[in-house]
Amino acid sequence: MSNTTEAINQLNTATTTIGLILSLINFPPGAVGLIFNVLVFTRPVLNRQPCSFYFLISTLFNLFVVFIILPVRIVSSSLNLDLANYNLGICKTEFYSFYVVRVVSIWLILLACIDRYFHSSSNIKLRRLSSLKMARISSSVLTLLMIVIYSHMIVYFEIANVTSQTGQVTQTCNARKGTYRSFSASWHMTLYSLCPSSLMLLFGILTVGNIHQHRRIIPTHSDSNQRRNRRTDTQLLRMLIIQVLFIIVSTMPSSAIRLYSSFTATTTKNAFQTAQENLATQLCNSLSYFAHSTSFYLYTLTGSLFRTELTKIVGPCFHCRPNFIETSGTGQNQISLNPINQQRNTAVLVIDHQ
């Protein structure tokens, strides 16, 4: 009995520790990377591309995930303090907004996949759908749609008393127990992971097929603008594919464990089984946040165009070299270590020795 109790305590400690560590790993690099995403995707070379627009808006939603949701989760894991468990209004608002923001950020990447399919199509009517105007409209419609279809959470999420195996009663914000809890888990799994992941793969395959078809039809000789646009399209598609694969890998376990928990909610479990499931749930949920915080590093690794624009932003910060003044008792001399300044007529700082 003592060995079982010790094992349960170790599992509970591991659950708290893993959640805290993974959240802390996510936060600093995620915050820095997403800020750089905004700076790069607003560059003139990229801000006219509809696919870049989807990346940018998805980044803005991910900023909410990193700067709002992750800190709440860190406080909840480290201090065991979550205001949603004590205030019904916060309970409904927090879970509703957190779910909507995370789902919208994933579906925006799906819209980017659809845009690449339209852009690579040989059908001129489909190609016309790949435009910045259409991207703005689609993003707005998607956001409003997700706000509406997740509105049931405002009604059916509540604070319930949960009794542990030791008899301790705690308050927890969760979906209403019973049929709705199973529905909520299935609904979120479908919209957050299963449906967008499947559609991303589908449109990715169709886009690759369009590109192969174009290579057989379009002549190899083309002007510089066409080659430059083709390179940009290829870079954006490569960045998109690697992010799609990463989203699938990081979000599927979270949805699967949530669905399993909902279907086994009425099953009697001992303390050890509960501790094991809590650990698995914490691990899967924490891993899913990497889908929202790692896009900058994926883009940097796979997109040379992205790296070029990033270098233009951060490069000047590492090439600033100071000018030094060398003086002697008999004269005044200025020594510049910056060769650019040697070719320009600039104001000279004069130090007068008397």
Side-chain angles (χ1 to χ4, degrees):
M1 185 67 181
S2 59
N3 292 335
T4 303
T5 303
E6 183 179 354
I8 293 172
N9 292 334
Q10 290 177 348
L11 287 173
N12 292 335
T13 302
T15 300
T16 303
T17 304
I18 287 175
L20 179 59
I21 291 176
L22 291 179
S23 296
L24 291 175
I25 291 174
N26 253 320
F27 181 73
V32 174
L34 290 174
I35 291 173
F36 275 121
N37 274 359
V38 174
L39 296 176
V40 172
F41 286 126
T42 53
R43 298 278 298 175
V45 175
L46 292 172
N47 64 7
R48 294 185 295 269
Q49 295 284 341
C51 185
S52 297
F53 180 81
Y54 289 123
F55 286 156
L56 175 61
I57 302 303
S58 179
T59 296
L60 296 179
F61 278 95
N62 287 332
L63 282 170
F64 182 92
V65 175
V66 171
F67 282 100
I68 302 297
I69 300 179
L70 272 180
V72 170
R73 294 293 172 245
I74 290 173
V75 172
S76 177
S77 298
S78 59
L79 302 179
N80 196 24
L81 176 63
D82 192 347
L83 295 179
N85 294 333
Y86 304 99
N87 184 284
L88 184 59
I90 296 177
C91 167
K92 294 177 180 291
T93 304
E94 178 182 309
F95 276 79
Y96 172 65
S97 59
F98 287 6
Y99 274 49
V100 169
V101 168
R102 296 185 67 184
V103 168
V104 171
S105 69
I106 298 296
W107 277 76
L108 285 167
I109 302 302
L110 170 60
L111 291 182
C113 293
I114 298 174
D115 171 78
R116 290 297 88 188
Y117 167 70
F118 288 156
H119 185 79
S120 62
S121 175
S122 58
N123 188 326
I124 189 172
K125 293 182 179 180
L126 290 179
R127 287 203 305 272
R128 287 175 180 171
L129 295 176
S130 176
S131 65
L132 199 56
K133 179 181 179 181
M134 181 60 67
R136 294 192 179 102
I137 295 174
S138 300
S139 300
S140 301
V141 171
L142 171 67
T143 304
L144 293 175
L145 181 63
M146 291 302 173
I147 289 174
V148 171
I149 64 178
Y150 266 88
S151 59
H152 56 84
M153 296 181 63
I154 299 177
V155 179
Y156 291 103
F157 263 67
E158 58 188 15
I159 298 175
N161 293 325
V162 179
T163 304
S164 65
Q165 295 290 333
T166 60
Q168 183 181 3
V169 179
T170 57
Q171 290 183 322
T172 303
C173 178
N174 205 342
R176 183 173 298 176
K177 190 174 182 179
T179 305
Y180 176 75
R181 185 172 295 183
S182 300
F183 162 78
S184 177
S186 304
W187 179 265
H188 187 61
M189 183 191 71
T190 302
L191 289 182
Y192 181 65
S193 181
L194 188 60
C195 184
S197 298
S198 301
L199 292 176
M200 286 175 189
L201 287 176
L202 173 62
F203 282 101
I205 293 171
L206 292 175
T207 301
V208 172
N210 285 342
I211 291 175
H212 285 304
Q213 182 180 2
H214 273 283
R215 287 177 178 175
R216 292 194 299 266
I217 297 176
I218 296 178
T220 56
H221 301 287
S222 56
D223 59 35
S224 60
N225 288 332
Q226 288 179 333
R227 289 195 297 269
R228 184 166 53 251
N229 291 335
R230 195 178 302 171
R231 283 197 299 269
T232 300
D233 294 338
T234 302
Q235 293 293 321
L236 290 174
L237 180 61
R238 186 181 303 170
M239 292 159 56
L240 181 61
I241 289 174
I242 192 65
Q243 187 176 12
V244 166
L245 294 176
F246 197 83
I247 287 173
I248 294 172
V249 171
S250 57
T251 59
M252 285 297 288
S254 174
S255 297
I257 197 69
R258 190 181 297 272
L259 185 63
Y260 166 79
S261 299
S262 66
F263 281 120
T264 60
T266 57
T267 304
T268 303
K269 304 172 186 177
N270 57 39
F272 185 73
Q273 290 175 323
T274 302
Q276 287 179 316
E277 292 183 6
N278 289 340
L279 176 60
T281 301
Q282 182 67 271
L283 178 61
C284 294
N285 288 341
S286 298
L287 289 176
S288 68
Y289 284 97
F290 283 96
H292 303 277
S293 62
T294 56
S295 58
F296 167 76
Y297 306 98
L298 298 176
Y299 297 153
T300 304
L301 289 173
T302 58
S304 59
L305 176 62
F306 187 89
R307 291 194 298 270
T308 300
E309 295 303 314
L310 177 64
T311 303
K312 292 178 182 178
I313 294 173
V314 301
C317 300
F318 296 98
H319 290 84
C320 295
R321 302 179 66 181
N323 293 335
F324 292 92
I325 304 297
E326 180 183 315
T327 64
S328 63
T330 58
Q332 304 160 352
N333 297 306
Q334 181 184 24
I335 299 177
S336 175
L337 298 182
N338 192 338
I340 297 177
N341 290 339
Q342 294 176 1
Q343 301 175 7
R344 296 178 179 175
N345 295 325
T346 57
V348 179
L349 175 63
V350 177
I351 302 178
D352 189 10
H353 290 271
Q354 299 179 351

